[in-house]
Amino acid sequence: MTIVHIVIAKFKSEVTEEVKQKALDDVVALKHTIPEIQSASAGKTFTDRSKGFEYGWVVEVETKEHLSIYAKHPDHLDFVNKYRPLMDDLIAVDYEK
């Protein structure tokens, strides 16, 4: 089994493209410091169907327990504390595949 964690973000209008890209780079880099992460990817949408949600990332872990470990990991919490205030909104979806 694999747990897929998807986040779709809408940054505040004043946030620069450089900061947005740094957020994507930082979330993908978590796979190097959080052993439970099997894979991580992130990017900017190229479609006009996203209703203002321009950026998204996917993190895959093996189990729901690993998702909980990832969520509570200090490096993930640092990421959230740094970037969540820069977002107007986000959507998170978790599912098993």
Side-chain angles (χ1 to χ4, degrees), residues 20-89:
K20 294 173 187 177
Q21 184 59 51
K22 179 75 169 124
L24 299 182
D25 295 343
D26 287 354
V27 76
V28 170
L30 291 175
K31 68 183 175 187
H32 301 298
T33 62
I34 303 176
E36 288 73 20
I37 296 176
Q38 293 178 323
S39 69
S41 64
K44 180 178 179 178
T45 188
F46 55 83
T47 179
D48 60 358
R49 301 175 297 156
S50 64
K51 298 184 180 183
F53 289 87
E54 292 183 288
Y55 293 84
W57 49 91
V58 177
V59 174
E60 293 187 350
V61 297
E62 188 175 345
T63 66
K64 290 178 183 177
E65 179 183 61
H66 286 171
L67 182 63
S68 179
I69 292 168
Y70 159 77
K72 296 174 187 174
H73 192 282
D75 290 345
H76 176 253
L77 294 175
D78 287 347
F79 174 85
V80 170
N81 289 333
K82 181 176 182 178
Y83 292 108
R84 183 60 181 104
L86 304 179
M87 297 175 197
D88 273 335
D89 202 0

